[in-house]
Amino acid sequence: MELSELKLKENPFRIGPSINPHDLIWAGFPELKVKIEQRLKFSMKTSPSRIVLNWGRYGSGKTHAANYYTKTQRLADICVESSTTPAKGIKINLPRTSKDPVQSFFRSFLGQISLSVIKSDFNKLKAKLNTEETIDALIDLNSNDSIISDLFKLIASDDSQEQLTAIEAYLFGDATKGTLSKLGLPFGLKDDEQIVNFLSTYINCITYEKRTYSSFIVWLDEFEDIDTLNKQSQDRMTTFLRQLFDKAHSHFLLFLNFTPKTFFNVEDLSIVLGESLSTRARIHISFEAPTISEAITYIKELILHQAIGQNNEFGPFDSEATLIYVLENIGNLSIRKINEVFSLLLELALIEEKDLIDIEFVKLFKDEIPSFEN
């Protein structure tokens, strides 16, 4: 039996987060979407940098939100709707158990914002210059580190592939005499502060007066994993983020996705973030557990995205009553649990060659559903 016989093009209930833009849709939870997009629009239209804490239990949709707003067209659409210049957004997972979390963060950043992208962004910036402006002067204005300024001037001015290859090697830690001599730099990116200076200079330049980009947005996912680092590394990471936020003081939006441990309250954040960073993360967006009504809307919108034919509101499920029966019997609801349970029901229907899933079918296989309580 195929999914098409269940009136579906594909399984709409993904168990793990997808990075394929085709699979990344926003279903249900309109109020949460409005809150996130309000923060995005504020960042696009105003100057001050902000830290936003996305707070929610495991499986509440925080990673999906990060993927949705960094992998799809939605961010670009918001810019059009807001009549702003484009915004740039990336998602980075907090380095786990790393001996050098700042360097790991930097490498993840370069994995998404490659040197060729940086070069392209500076070409766009040069095209926005007034006749009395120079790119070198603009770089100096937006940097507080002469070595980093010289590096960006090389990136902005030199189209030699050999030179760009040397710069790329330099960024990934090649500070040999040959590379330094070729670039005319005295030393490499040796410490956390220089990495902060590199990132903040890049952000400050490409968002300067919102000419090229209206905002630079970083979603730092799984921030709760900071507790896998030793105390020294935790302090380094929070200090690094604080310095980055302070030096990229305009047009920078940092989302911290945080899954609290049991009995951990938002008031306890200073323990994890440190006092200096927690006082900067004053804006909180709560990813709450869905109600039955919200879950039904979510399921129906997912089905609609993969439905075959018109008037197929419930797909292979016979009625809303079946959806309610399942939702009321699987315990505490989360987006992840809903996806897992309804994906399993589809698999069981395929195995049993059942083209319509009703309450009797669910009852027949309720022991196969790990979280089923009744």
Side-chain angles (χ1 to χ4, degrees):
M1 189 173 183
E2 302 293 334
L3 273 171
S4 60
E5 296 176 68
L6 295 178
K7 305 176 186 177
L8 296 171
K9 291 176 281 188
E10 295 180 20
N11 184 347
F13 304 105
R14 297 192 62 87
I15 296 176
S18 175
I19 59 173
N20 183 343
H22 174 74
D23 297 328
L24 289 168
I25 67 164
W26 189 279
F29 309 101
E31 293 180 3
L32 176 61
K33 191 169 187 274
V34 167
K35 289 178 182 178
I36 295 172
E37 295 192 356
Q38 183 182 53
R39 302 318 319 177
L40 292 168
K41 290 174 183 177
F42 280 172
S43 184
M44 293 169 187
K45 286 182 169 289
T46 63
S47 295
S49 294
R50 295 177 177 87
I51 299 177
V52 177
L53 180 74
N54 293 330
W55 175 274
R57 297 293 175 182
Y58 176 77
S60 59
K62 301 183 298 299
T63 297
H64 176 80
N67 288 336
Y68 178 73
Y69 286 104
T70 57
K71 305 291 185 184
T72 73
Q73 184 69 19
R74 183 55 194 155
L75 187 62
D77 291 343
I78 295 172
C79 294
V80 173
E81 293 167 8
S82 304
S83 301
T84 66
T85 50
K88 186 184 285 284
I90 63 171
K91 179 193 133 200
I92 296 175
N93 282 13
L94 186 88
R96 299 180 184 179
T97 64
S98 173
K99 294 181 180 178
D100 194 339
V102 174
Q103 188 62 236
S104 295
F105 179 96
F106 186 47
R107 287 176 179 270
S108 294
F109 184 95
L110 292 175
Q112 296 194 53
I113 306 294
S114 64
L115 181 58
S116 61
V117 171
I118 293 172
K119 173 68 176 172
S120 173
D121 286 339
F122 274 83
N123 287 342
K124 293 176 185 176
L125 179 59
K126 285 194 287 185
K128 303 283 186 180
L129 295 178
N130 299 322
T131 54
E132 68 275 11
E133 293 176 318
T134 66
I135 191 65
D136 286 3
L138 199 60
I139 290 170
D140 286 336
L141 180 66
N142 287 287
S143 177
N144 60 0
D145 185 313
S146 60
I147 303 299
I148 298 300
S149 292
D150 289 344
L151 178 60
F152 275 104
K153 289 171 188 176
L154 285 174
I155 294 171
S157 64
D158 201 317
D159 290 324
S160 163
Q161 186 57 51
E162 182 181 359
Q163 184 87 312
L164 290 177
T165 299
I167 293 171
E168 187 170 45
Y170 174 89
L171 293 177
F172 280 97
D174 181 1
T176 59
K177 288 183 179 179
T179 298
L180 294 177
S181 176
K182 184 178 295 184
L183 297 177
L185 299 174
F187 49 78
L189 297 178
K190 297 195 300 185
D191 55 33
D192 295 356
E193 187 172 2
Q194 278 201 303
I195 292 176
V196 167
N197 291 337
F198 178 90
L199 296 177
S200 61
T201 298
Y202 170 64
I203 293 169
N204 291 340
C205 283
I206 67 169
T207 61
Y208 177 67
E209 294 183 344
K210 297 187 181 290
R211 295 186 192 181
T212 310
Y213 293 100
S214 59
S215 181
F216 190 90
I217 303 146
V218 173
W219 296 73
L220 186 51
D221 200 22
E222 299 178 336
F223 193 77
E224 69 280 359
D225 283 345
I226 195 168
D227 66 6
T228 66
L229 306 175
N230 61 40
K231 184 61 169 65
Q232 182 182 12
S233 293
Q234 288 182 31
D235 291 342
R236 279 184 65 190
M237 194 67 205
T238 55
T239 299
F240 164 76
L241 291 174
R242 174 180 58 79
Q243 289 181 326
L244 178 59
F245 181 74
D246 289 347
K247 292 187 177 183
H249 50 78
S250 298
H251 318 305
F252 175 48
L253 178 59
L254 175 62
F255 285 106
L256 296 178
N257 282 356
F258 191 89
T259 301
K261 303 291 193 292
T262 305
F263 305 121
F264 190 96
N265 297 311
V266 70
E267 294 80 10
D268 302 321
L269 271 177
S270 59
I271 300 171
V272 176
L273 300 180
E275 194 64 37
S276 60
L277 194 60
S278 63
T279 56
R280 290 162 170 80
R282 293 178 303 205
I283 303 165
H284 298 167
I285 295 178
S286 182
F287 285 63
E288 301 285 354
T291 63
I292 295 289
S293 176
E294 288 172 331
I296 290 171
T297 300
Y298 170 75
I299 292 167
K300 288 164 67 174
E301 291 186 11
L302 283 182
I303 289 173
L304 179 63
H305 183 65
Q306 296 293 348
I308 296 174
Q310 302 296 320
N311 302 318
N312 189 15
E313 188 177 19
F314 302 110
F317 297 91
D318 73 323
S319 66
E320 187 170 302
T322 298
L323 304 184
I324 293 173
Y325 174 74
V326 175
L327 293 168
E328 287 181 340
N329 285 281
I330 58 174
N332 295 328
L333 295 180
S334 70
I335 299 301
R336 187 179 298 272
K337 182 186 283 188
I338 291 168
N339 285 356
E340 288 174 347
V341 169
F342 281 85
S343 180
L344 176 59
L345 287 171
L346 291 185
E347 292 175 8
L348 291 170
L350 291 174
I351 292 170
E352 295 297 316
E353 298 188 345
K354 176 82 170 179
D355 60 5
L356 195 64
I357 301 172
D358 55 19
I359 292 177
E360 292 307 312
F361 179 83
V362 177
K363 288 180 177 179
L364 186 63
F365 290 98
K366 64 182 181 181
D367 290 341
E368 301 296 330
I369 304 172
S371 57
F372 211 88
E373 295 181 344
N374 188 3

